[in-house]
Amino acid sequence: MDTVLEARGVVKKYRGQPVLDRVDLEVGRGEAVGLVGPNGAGKTTLIKVSLGLARRDGGRVLLNGLDPWREPRAREGVGVVFERPNLPSSMPVVEFLESAAAIIGSSPSRVDWAIRAAGLEGHEWKTFPQLSAGLKQRAAIAHALLGEPRFLVADEPTSNLDPLERREVLRLLARLNREHGLSLLVSSHVIVELLRVATRIYVLAGGRLAAEGSPEDLFRRAGLARLRTSNPSLAAELLRSLGFEAREDGLGVVVRVDGPLHRFYEALARLGREGVEVLGVDLVEPGVEEAMAG
Ligand code: ADP
């Protein structure tokens, strides 16, 4: 596979403590890859090491064929969006983008394109603090697009957004991948968000790679998912009425998900229509399966 990013056996320690333990990560040219894991799993650290923004303690990283820690040129053509974007507060977004474009030698027409591609039209004359969280993230994406990246890396771009804004930002990232051909690496602590964006997902837990595969593979292998929801009993009842094996489990519902994924998506949409808010979907470790049987 022609790869934009290839990380093998990455080790990273903070004060002697391993934060990444022999982690692999690969992004093919034109591919959309997801990186999932709970807070503290090491996602941001893996992204920083992959971009050469943090030193690794072991393993190998090639970004655009070069070691990004030694050769900053590796980052050419790479756009980055971090979790909490922070743009200057004193000027309208369009003026900031124009000055940023001038600094990096991008043409003014690129600013118009980035504003359109990021869905910021109608908001470009607002200052950064005047934007909603979702629009702030779009402004950060527009900024990342100025340098005409071929690879976009977005670290938890949805973590501070409401559900509608989340969907829109993810749709935007998916469009940049599918219609504009950008390779994409996007992280989240919610696997379900990435299912429609990424064709391959890496699951990171405690600094180790717990799983890797297509969304379908991951669900089939796990067999069970835990839904965190506002109303577990109603969620379990609805899921059962739709033909799923489901039971309440503490604050959530454990549901069997080894069938076609589109049926599961439809079920989630149905829960939403019935007013059951799904706060997260986690794949369940195989050991829990016995509990389900009992
Ligand atoms: P995630 O992005 O998945 O939430 P991080 O990569 O931010 O995870 O963090 C992984 C672990 O590394 C956490 O335990 C965090 O406390 C630790 N960590 C991250 N950055 C630093 C740092 N600069 N110094 C010390 N520990 C850090």
Side-chain angles (χ1 to χ4, degrees):
M1 178 167 50
D2 187 12
T3 55
V4 284
L5 172 66
E6 190 183 344
R8 291 260 171 264
V10 169
V11 174
K12 173 71 185 171
K13 295 177 185 170
Y14 281 119
R15 293 183 209 94
Q17 293 297 315
V19 170
L20 294 174
D21 184 7
R22 289 161 292 163
V23 176
D24 298 335
L25 176 67
E26 199 169 302
V27 180
R29 203 167 295 282
E31 196 184 16
V33 169
L35 179 60
V36 181
N39 287 332
K43 301 181 296 297
T44 300
T45 306
L46 180 57
I47 286 173
K48 283 187 184 162
V49 168
S50 298
L51 296 173
L53 304 176
R55 182 201 289 270
R56 60 188 184 271
D57 296 296
R60 198 164 65 91
V61 177
L62 289 176
L63 177 64
N64 290 317
L66 301 170
D67 179 343
W69 180 251
R70 291 174 208 288
E71 303 194 59
R73 260 187 326 130
R75 286 191 288 274
E76 278 174 19
V78 182
V80 186
V81 181
F82 284 110
E83 182 179 348
R84 288 175 192 274
N86 203 359
L87 270 48
S89 59
S90 56
M91 57 173 118
V93 169
V94 63
E95 285 183 6
F96 165 69
L97 293 174
E98 280 165 1
S99 48
I103 289 168
I104 61 172
S106 263
S107 74
S109 66
R110 184 72 192 175
V111 174
D112 296 337
W113 183 85
I115 285 173
R116 273 199 314 279
L120 258 186
E121 295 139 303
H123 303 282
E124 61 269 48
W125 287 99
K126 293 179 182 162
T127 61
F128 194 65
Q130 289 172 328
L131 299 176
S132 68
L135 288 167
K136 282 185 172 133
Q137 200 55 264
R138 284 165 185 269
I141 292 170
H143 183 213
L145 292 175
L146 290 179
E148 305 191 22
R150 294 176 297 282
F151 179 26
L152 190 65
V153 180
D155 187 16
E156 300 228 27
T158 59
S159 72
N160 298 304
L161 311 187
D162 68 36
L164 184 66
E165 290 178 326
R166 280 170 176 256
R167 263 201 305 279
E168 286 180 351
V169 164
L170 291 164
R171 207 172 287 155
L172 165 61
L173 292 174
R175 203 164 51 233
L176 289 169
N177 168 250
R178 285 169 204 159
E179 293 174 18
H180 298 282
L182 267 73
S183 313
L184 182 68
L185 175 62
V186 53
S187 73
S188 171
H189 55 277
V190 192
I191 193 167
V192 74
E193 303 200 317
L194 297 183
L195 299 178
R196 285 168 192 262
V197 180
T199 50
R200 218 153 50 76
I201 293 180
Y202 289 81
V203 182
L204 206 56
R208 294 209 172 140
L209 207 55
E212 180 263 320
S214 70
E216 287 79 6
D217 287 344
L218 295 181
F219 273 72
R220 208 176 308 119
R221 234 177 285 153
L224 297 173
R226 179 176 287 106
L227 264 56
R228 282 172 280 128
T229 153
S230 57
N231 190 339
S233 65
L234 181 56
E237 195 184 311
L238 282 168
L239 285 164
R240 282 194 294 268
S241 76
L242 294 170
F244 284 87
E245 205 179 315
R247 66 172 169 81
E248 271 184 73
D249 173 82
L251 294 175
V253 176
V254 173
V255 55
R256 184 166 294 283
V257 288
D258 49 6
L261 257 189
H262 71 88
R263 275 198 59 223
F264 181 59
Y265 292 150
E266 285 157 15
L268 290 181
R270 171 75 189 279
L271 292 183
R273 285 198 298 277
E274 301 285 341
V276 178
E277 199 184 347
V278 176
L279 306 165
V281 179
D282 305 306
L283 296 180
V284 173
E285 297 299 319
V288 182
E289 217 155 325
E290 288 93 52
M292 183 99 176

